[in-house]
Amino acid sequence: MQFRDLKSQYRALKKEMDAAIEQVLDSSDYIAGDQIDELEQELAAYVGVKHCVTCGNGTDALTLALKAWGVGAGDAVFVPDHTFFSSAESVAFVGATPVFADVYEDTFNLDVESLERVIRAVLDEGRLTPRAIVAVDLFGLPADYERIREIADRYHLYILEDSAQGFGSTYHGKRAGSLGDISTTSFFPAKPLGCYGDGGAVFTDNGEWAALIRSLRVHGKGSDKYDNVRIGMNSRLDTIQAAVVQVKLKAFQEYELRNVNAVAARYTEGLGDCVKVPRIPEGYTSSWASYNILLKNEEERDQVRAHLKENGVPTMIYYPKGLHQQAVFSGCCLYGERLPVTTDICRRTLAIPVSPYLSAEDQQRIIRLIREKTGADA
Ligand SMILES: *Cc1c(COP(=O)(O)O)cnc(C)c1O
């Protein structure tokens, strides 16, 4: 059994996929082919924004957004403590300071009260200039944008939506990727919409920022790439990867998103009485980048994990530690926040296999194994 079943996906899409890749090979446009422009239009239309700029990966997408805003040394950017490293790495990479806020236990997303406390603490201290909030759509579920927007407006901050895991999810009828001032996603193979290597994209309604990001992703180009008007990056999506995403985007829209939601619903039905299952608030949908259960404590988590492993079921821990516990951020000021929810979640969380292609039999077996070990059926 695979943790995220990419083999079955390739088997299902093989004919179309091989043809799409072969077309790029025949054209020999390996960088900047027609597929890039087509894909950017398709993605912008799907997400519901004016501009999509593809790039090398989801981490670069965050970096490009921060660079477009001129975020750098002396700036504070607020980041949830419970997320993948890139959400804060990109902030530090452009020279700004990540400041961590806690998350809610039931959605795993940014706790707006903790967020507001750290913003005020940074302002009180007066050393850094608050510039932006990185709102992460963790595990496929959008953050609480209505309340985050209130805070962003109150303190004049940009919202950078990190939707590396949230592509396809919705928040009160709006799609992830349209919920920030700039939004980003990743096409890393295991994300909801993946390619066959690294890839990413930036979304925004702001034409000036989109143009700036188009320049920044190709060495700060002016009229062409040998006219360089700023310091940029080399961060393009390969044409082959664009062709892969085009094929996958069709399947994603036609059935994958629906099927992964059906799989998640079966987990919630089968496990809701014995472990803490993820809550999807009213007005939200998830794209289920992963399905994370919370066990009673670390001991129970490790027992369930070992039991699943003995029976050939792979699991992951998202994430083993909060960002404030990463060695590289150990010198960061926490502004009085103790981040207890993240610290607790990291000890009790377990991600179990989820994908649009998980068979009903495999899923029943996973549910049974977890029930055995949590004593639900004893
Ligand atoms: C995967 C991920 C990223 C980074 O994407 P890459 O394409 O791997 O660089 C950023 N943020 C979050 C929340 C992610 O899960």
Side-chain angles (χ1 to χ4, degrees):
M1 196 186 305
Q2 274 197 297
F3 182 69
R4 186 112 190 156
D5 191 353
L6 297 173
K7 269 189 197 149
S8 299
Q9 186 193 42
Y10 177 57
R11 248 180 261 127
L13 303 176
K14 184 172 173 27
K15 224 176 114 202
E16 222 184 322
M17 190 63 84
D18 291 357
I21 292 172
E22 205 176 305
Q23 200 186 332
V24 179
L25 295 178
D26 276 338
S27 78
S28 80
D29 287 336
Y30 304 125
I31 298 274
D34 292 341
Q35 288 85 350
I36 299 287
D37 302 329
E38 288 167 17
L39 177 65
E40 289 182 347
Q41 282 167 26
E42 288 164 18
L43 290 170
Y46 177 76
V47 162
V49 296
K50 292 202 185 110
H51 309 281
C52 168
V53 185
T54 53
C55 63
N57 56 70
T59 309
D60 283 0
L62 293 164
T63 305
L64 287 163
L66 293 165
K67 280 192 156 293
W69 287 334
V71 171
D75 292 335
V77 176
F78 304 91
V79 184
D81 194 36
H82 191 53
T83 176
F84 181 61
F85 187 61
S86 292
S87 308
E89 180 186 33
S90 53
V91 172
F93 193 72
V94 300
T97 302
V99 177
F100 305 115
D102 215 348
V103 298
Y104 296 118
E105 186 192 273
D106 59 346
T107 62
F108 301 109
N109 278 331
L110 200 52
D111 173 335
V112 291
E113 269 124 45
S114 173
L115 172 65
E116 188 159 22
R117 277 196 303 272
V118 285
I119 294 171
R120 281 168 184 263
V122 167
L123 286 169
D124 283 347
E125 185 203 36
R127 186 172 56 93
L128 300 170
T129 309
R131 291 293 307 280
I133 299 163
V134 178
V136 181
D137 303 332
L138 202 67
F139 306 145
L141 181 73
D144 186 350
Y145 286 93
E146 200 177 305
R147 296 176 69 203
I148 292 170
R149 179 61 69 188
E150 276 172 25
I151 292 176
D153 286 349
R154 193 172 310 143
Y155 297 97
H156 311 290
L157 305 174
Y158 290 131
I159 298 177
L160 175 50
E161 178 192 9
D162 177 353
S163 206
Q165 302 184 15
F167 190 87
S169 65
T170 61
Y171 176 81
H172 297 293
K174 290 185 75 184
R175 285 224 167 91
S178 71
L179 303 168
D181 296 301
I182 298 181
S183 304
T184 63
T185 198
S186 162
F187 303 126
F188 181 83
K191 309 281 174 166
L193 180 64
C195 60
Y196 289 160
D198 279 311
V202 183
F203 302 95
T204 184
D205 279 325
N206 185 305
E208 233 169 275
W209 295 339
L212 207 52
I213 289 166
R214 285 186 188 283
S215 163
L216 287 165
R217 80 170 160 177
V218 188
H219 309 290
K221 75 180 170 96
S223 51
D224 63 66
K225 80 168 163 172
Y226 303 111
D227 172 39
N228 308 95
V229 296
R230 55 181 62 86
I231 299 300
M233 305 164 66
N234 175 14
S235 185
R236 289 166 293 215
L237 183 69
D238 295 348
T239 315
I240 287 179
Q241 300 302 348
V244 170
V245 176
Q246 278 189 298
V247 173
K248 288 210 198 183
L249 180 60
K250 261 177 58 194
F252 186 80
Q253 289 179 261
E254 281 168 15
Y255 59 86
E256 283 188 352
L257 189 56
R258 189 177 66 237
N259 290 356
V260 78
N261 268 280
V263 168
R266 284 203 296 268
Y267 272 141
T268 298
E269 166 84 31
L271 294 172
D273 64 336
C274 61
V275 301
K276 193 163 187 310
V277 292
R279 185 174 79 87
I280 306 302
E282 191 73 35
Y284 293 58
T285 64
S286 176
S287 55
W288 300 106
S290 61
Y291 191 97
N292 297 267
I293 57 174
L294 288 177
L295 287 308
K296 279 200 247 353
N297 50 41
E298 192 166 5
E299 190 189 354
E300 189 187 60
R301 191 266 306 272
D302 294 346
Q303 282 170 2
V304 170
R305 187 173 205 210
H307 189 52
L308 288 169
K309 188 173 177 206
E310 280 160 24
N311 287 278
V313 178
T315 58
M316 300 286 277
I317 293 175
Y318 297 134
Y319 293 93
K321 47 185 157 179
L323 292 182
H324 78 283
Q325 295 167 314
Q326 293 286 359
V328 70
F329 290 137
S330 63
C332 283
C333 178
L334 297 184
Y335 291 92
E337 285 294 291
R338 288 175 30 258
L339 307 154
V341 177
T342 297
T343 309
D344 176 54
I345 286 173
C346 293
R347 294 193 194 110
R348 298 195 287 129
T349 193
L350 189 66
I352 55 181
V354 73
S355 95
Y357 300 90
L358 183 64
S359 73
E361 302 86 79
D362 279 348
Q363 188 172 19
Q364 279 319 313
R365 204 158 63 81
I366 296 166
I367 291 171
R368 183 174 49 75
L369 290 166
I370 295 170
R371 295 188 68 85
E372 277 168 17
K373 222 48 196 180
T374 52
D377 296 336

